[in-house]
Amino acid sequence: MGRDSRYDILFEPVQIGPVTAPNRFYQVPHCTGMGWQYPRTLAAMRKVKAQGGWGVICTEYNSIHPSSDDLPHPYASLWDDSDVRAHTLMTDAVHEYGSLAGAELWYGGANSNNLFSRLPSMDVDSRPNTKGHPYQTRAMDKQDIRDLRRWHRKAAVRARDAGFDVVYVYATHGYLISNFLHPRVNTRSDEYGGSLENRVRLTRELIQETKDAVGDRCAVAVRFSADEEIGEDGQPIYGERREMFEMLSDLPDLWDINIADYSVEMGVSRFTKEAALEPYMHWVKSVTDKPVVTVGRFTSPDTMVSQVRRGVTDFIGAARPSIADPYLPKKIEEGRLSAIRECIGCNVCYASDTIGVPIRCTQNPTMGEEWRKGWHPEIIRKKSSDARVLIVGAGAAGLEAARALGVRGYDVLLAEASSELGGRVSREAALPGMSEYIRVKDYREQQLIEMPNVEIYRESPLTVDDILAVEADHVAIATGATWRKEYFDEERFVPVAEGAVLSRVFTPDDIMDGKLPDGPTLVFDGDGYYMASVIAEKIRAQGHAVTLVTPSDSVSDWAGKTSERWRIRTHLLRLGVEVLPSKSLKRFDGEIAELDCTYGGPSVTVPVANIVMVTARKPNDCLYRGLLGRMSPEDLPFSLRRIGDCDAPAIIAAAIYAGHRYARELDEAVDEDIPLKHDRVDVGQQPI
């Protein structure tokens, strides 16, 4: 099957100054949780994107000097020649497949922590650290500005020497250069402050000096915000941005455009849909003849074509879609649209970097494992035997295990107790705002339908005897987990109600089953992610008063790592959901919920008729234990594993990973005592 001619425009080459991109697919700079600490891991991940057809592939932000240090958030660096050698691993890998490599030069200012380097950061003034650390920046004097320009130029030369084709001046996202541009942040009274021309001066100098440094070997790009401040979604507040842009429009070779509100630019699918930046972009192409790239969590090739044809952008910029499917361009080119793993906008990738670990992906379990495990998103070792595999449960883990085993060539039997595949994925996707999560199920179900060696049995609950009767060679139990009614007090699970009152205590499973409470309801969030907020929203939509209680200081605390916590709380308040943080649930008598202050303050009571407990889940492992109760593992006629939530309840990404790992390791020799390679300096080896 060949490419649909409608998409030909996406595969046109585009000139970027002295270099040419082979197509319009542009992986913009994005964090990876890898940075300078994991150069081989980083290079292998970017290489797969080049194999998958991305025309331009950029690194994450590159610190130009140790006084711009963001640890524990991993970043790349261009401090010295060792960085040049490390980056060459990536650029060589990208060039091998005909793609361009881009490097984003970065100085954080008040947005960098410098907890590693312990050097004072610099900014337009002595400003508090914007990440909340108890430090302030040094106000830059003229020598500091000269130093910055020198460091930036040297980093540009190193980027050129490392083989990069596009070098960025990074003038947005609240970092130093953007603070010079900002009319309220920049309070300087010298030639770098005050008037618009003065505030643009440093950006102009850095663009010109970067172009001079890299010569005709590299293109120079500028990352720039189309609007000045955060307003209502889709309603830009431009301020002086157009005037700034007009003053600089012809200087760089490419403009990489984003917006002031990162929670829209990097928005989760619950609140932000595809192509959300278009309302901010309408004027950009009319002001410059230079190519423009922007993002929008693009997954539909029709949307991509529309963006280009209507002059919104020249390149299809992507971070998350390139993570979910590194082969997205190639699949469009080959006419394999049903094989695209569409990004679900969960931001688990972003959360991983926020935590300080290599990024993960719900849709793509190979992300971050390309080097240390040798996993490839499209290539998997063929089967090692003619064994038959039975997978019990078609939730996230079961579906991915069946899909990957099917690709390997095994004969797979997938048994699902209900009529619908997907398990928790299908159930959660029906909750408010969660519809795009269904892509996890849809992608895998579509792939399974096309595999003659995989048989799917719906409405097929199995017993121990049933499993034994199948006579499979391998059995994986993927029967998921069930939400608990109890409260976890950091030591054990304890009930919050007794007797008949328990009928007024609900769980997310009850809500997803359609068993909705009647009357005022308290939703207790001991989970800290998205579930409590979507349950509260669903109950509120039925017209009932809802109070959300959490022992954390903030609503959906873990969701701060996915960039959605602020949006969740704002949304709940707009819906009229009362929020009580720093409270633990002590007891519920059917009419009153008694709450303890987590800091030892006075208890409070809330009159409610129902409680929904969003705390923890209990593995549905009865079938697994039943098999082991029938005979010892050595006597079973098949290998037995439990995978996914049945093994250890976690997020959907973890279940997908568990299913994929099971499929990869089946019939393979795995040393459980040495499970991983380490991408680190080996002090016993010579430097490479």
Side-chain angles (χ1 to χ4, degrees):
M1 184 182 298
R3 180 174 81 219
D4 190 314
S5 60
R6 291 178 297 168
Y7 308 133
D8 287 350
I9 194 171
L10 300 177
F11 296 90
E12 294 175 345
V14 180
Q15 192 77 21
I16 312 174
V19 298
T20 302
N23 58 41
R24 297 183 186 271
F25 293 95
Y26 193 114
Q27 182 247 278
V28 297
H30 71 75
C31 299
T32 65
M34 300 169 191
W36 59 263
Q37 298 96 320
Y38 305 107
R40 297 174 184 84
T41 302
L42 180 62
M45 182 271 289
R46 303 288 192 198
K47 175 180 179 177
V48 168
K49 294 187 182 187
Q51 291 173 334
W54 293 90
V56 183
I57 300 163
C58 299
T59 64
E60 58 265 60
Y61 56 148
N62 284 263
S63 169
I64 64 171
H65 187 265
S67 59
S68 182
D69 152 44
D70 215 18
L71 285 182
H73 306 296
Y75 56 90
S77 58
L78 280 163
W79 295 351
D80 55 31
D81 289 344
S82 68
D83 287 321
V84 173
R85 291 190 293 272
H87 280 298
T88 301
L89 295 176
M90 174 205 156
T91 58
D92 285 349
V94 167
H95 291 155
E96 181 181 351
Y97 296 92
S99 302
L100 301 180
E104 180 180 60
L105 308 188
W106 167 75
Y107 195 91
N111 220 321
S112 56
N113 312 322
N114 293 3
L115 301 178
F116 173 65
S117 71
R118 302 185 70 176
L119 296 174
S121 188
M122 305 185 302
D123 213 309
V124 292
D125 200 349
S126 182
R127 306 184 65 226
N129 180 266
T130 58
K131 289 189 171 76
H133 296 286
Y135 297 87
Q136 289 187 210
T137 60
R138 181 173 77 229
M140 296 178 73
D141 59 23
K142 296 290 185 59
Q143 184 58 48
D144 291 326
I145 292 176
R146 286 191 288 271
D147 288 343
L148 174 79
R149 292 168 59 185
R150 184 177 70 255
W151 298 338
H152 198 278
R153 181 185 180 93
K154 286 186 173 182
V157 171
R158 292 187 187 109
R160 179 202 65 193
D161 293 347
F164 286 104
D165 308 285
V166 182
V167 180
Y168 269 76
V169 175
Y170 194 1
T172 186
H173 287 152
Y175 297 124
L176 176 68
I177 302 174
S178 65
N179 289 341
F180 271 87
L181 295 172
H182 202 289
R184 292 182 298 282
V185 174
N186 187 346
T187 57
R188 301 177 68 93
S189 58
D190 60 9
E191 65 267 35
Y192 288 96
S195 70
L196 178 59
E197 182 177 358
N198 283 354
R199 285 183 278 115
V200 170
R201 186 183 307 277
L202 179 61
T203 304
R204 178 188 297 277
E205 289 173 343
L206 291 175
I207 296 171
Q208 293 172 331
E209 290 166 1
T210 302
K211 295 198 76 169
D212 179 65
V214 301
D216 60 2
R217 166 65 185 78
C218 308
V220 173
V222 175
R223 216 169 194 188
F224 186 84
S225 174
D227 59 335
E228 184 170 284
E229 60 183 283
I230 298 172
E232 292 294 320
D233 290 357
Q235 301 296 318
I237 301 174
Y238 292 119
E240 302 171 320
R241 303 308 288 189
R242 179 164 183 157
E243 290 83 354
M244 285 182 184
F245 191 88
E246 288 175 339
M247 295 173 70
L248 301 168
S249 63
D250 293 330
L251 286 180
D253 299 306
L254 176 135
W255 287 97
D256 184 335
I257 303 297
N258 51 52
I259 62 174
D261 191 345
Y262 199 66
S263 70
V264 171
E265 179 188 337
M266 185 67 180
V268 295
S269 60
R270 183 176 168 193
F271 301 111
T272 306
K273 303 306 177 185
E274 186 178 29
L277 271 63
E278 182 171 337
Y280 304 80
M281 292 289 298
H282 74 89
W283 60 270
V284 174
K285 284 286 293 171
S286 67
V287 180
T288 183
D289 293 329
K290 300 302 175 71
V292 170
V293 59
T294 193
V295 295
R297 197 165 54 83
F298 299 114
T299 59
S300 165
D302 293 313
T303 302
M304 298 175 192
V305 168
S306 175
Q307 292 273 304
V308 175
R309 289 200 182 283
R310 290 184 294 111
V312 179
T313 186
D314 297 295
F315 285 99
I316 302 303
R320 292 171 292 173
S322 74
I323 295 167
D325 198 335
Y327 269 60
L328 188 153
K330 189 169 288 294
K331 289 176 181 178
I332 296 173
E333 185 173 30
E334 296 174 351
R336 299 188 296 121
L337 303 188
S338 66
I340 295 173
R341 283 187 304 275
E342 294 182 289
C343 173
I344 68 171
C346 65
N347 280 9
V348 163
C349 54
Y350 185 77
S352 301
D353 179 77
T354 301
I355 296 167
V357 298
I359 55 174
R360 308 291 181 244
C361 177
T362 299
Q363 281 282 59
N364 177 12
T366 68
M367 176 53 55
E369 303 290 0
E370 298 88 351
W371 181 81
R372 72 174 186 176
K373 281 185 173 290
W375 288 2
H376 191 283
E378 302 298 319
I379 303 170
I380 189 168
R381 185 178 299 177
K382 292 305 180 182
K383 65 180 182 179
S384 302
S385 72
D386 291 326
R388 296 172 71 235
V389 186
L390 171 64
I391 299 171
V392 185
L399 283 173
E400 176 59 21
R403 185 204 67 81
L405 285 168
V407 174
R408 291 191 67 186
Y410 283 96
D411 288 329
V412 180
L413 303 139
L414 177 61
E416 167 57 39
S418 69
S419 60
E420 185 175 10
L421 306 184
R424 65 177 285 199
V425 171
S426 297
R427 291 157 62 77
E428 292 184 19
L431 292 170
M434 301 292 288
S435 61
E436 291 189 49
Y437 277 52
I438 202 64
R439 293 174 173 180
V440 174
K441 187 268 294 186
D442 287 349
Y443 162 73
R444 288 163 178 83
E445 183 175 11
Q446 179 62 40
Q447 299 305 298
L448 292 174
I449 289 172
E450 298 173 8
M451 295 180 186
N453 54 318
V454 178
E455 298 179 75
I456 301 173
Y457 296 90
R458 303 169 190 259
E459 298 182 319
S460 300
L462 300 185
T463 66
V464 168
D465 289 332
D466 293 331
I467 292 174
L468 292 169
V470 171
E471 297 184 347
D473 299 294
H474 305 283
V475 175
I477 307 297
T479 44
T482 302
W483 284 95
R484 292 176 175 268
K485 287 189 175 185
E486 300 86 7
Y487 169 66
F488 185 64
D489 68 357
E490 298 186 359
E491 293 182 343
R492 59 196 176 97
F493 293 99
V494 296
V496 297
E498 299 175 350
V501 178
L502 284 171
S503 66
R504 310 302 300 169
V505 178
F506 296 78
T507 70
D509 287 318
D510 294 323
I511 308 305
M512 289 184 282
D513 286 338
K515 301 174 184 175
L516 297 175
D518 185 13
T521 300
L522 184 150
V523 176
F524 181 76
D525 183 12
D527 174 59
Y529 197 13
Y530 57 78
M531 181 57 73
S533 66
V534 293
I535 293 295
E537 180 176 351
K538 185 171 181 64
I539 296 171
R540 184 74 184 102
Q542 303 301 309
H544 303 304
V546 178
T547 302
L548 191 147
V549 174
T550 176
S552 174
D553 289 349
S554 62
V555 172
S556 300
D557 185 61
W558 201 85
K561 298 171 177 46
T562 57
S563 81
E564 61 189 302
R565 181 175 60 201
W566 177 87
R567 291 236 162 212
I568 287 173
R569 179 149 192 177
T570 302
H571 187 59
L572 291 177
L573 293 177
R574 286 174 179 167
L575 293 174
V577 174
E578 183 180 5
V579 175
L580 297 178
S582 307
K583 299 289 188 296
S584 60
L585 179 58
K586 186 174 182 180
R587 66 176 59 90
F588 173 57
D589 65 6
E591 297 179 351
I592 297 291
E594 185 175 345
L595 309 177
D596 283 345
C597 174
T598 55
Y599 295 106
S603 297
V604 299
T605 58
V606 180
V608 290
N610 316 280
I611 300 283
V612 181
M613 299 295 293
V614 187
T615 56
R617 288 176 293 147
K618 184 176 182 180
N620 296 330
D621 58 2
C622 292
L623 195 55
Y624 173 82
R625 295 188 181 279
L627 285 162
L628 293 180
R630 182 70 63 89
M631 59 187 72
S632 67
E634 295 78 15
D635 294 330
L636 285 171
F638 44 74
S639 73
L640 178 65
R641 283 273 300 275
R642 52 183 168 173
I643 59 175
D645 289 344
C646 173
D647 183 36
I651 61 176
I652 295 171
I656 293 290
Y657 179 84
H660 192 82
R661 179 186 172 197
Y662 174 77
R664 287 267 183 179
E665 295 180 350
L666 190 73
D667 281 341
E668 301 297 327
V670 177
D671 187 343
E672 294 292 343
D673 295 333
I674 310 177
L676 293 174
K677 291 193 299 183
H678 290 279
D679 190 2
R680 65 184 181 193
V681 174
D682 186 338
V683 297
Q685 297 292 324
Q686 294 295 318
I688 62 170

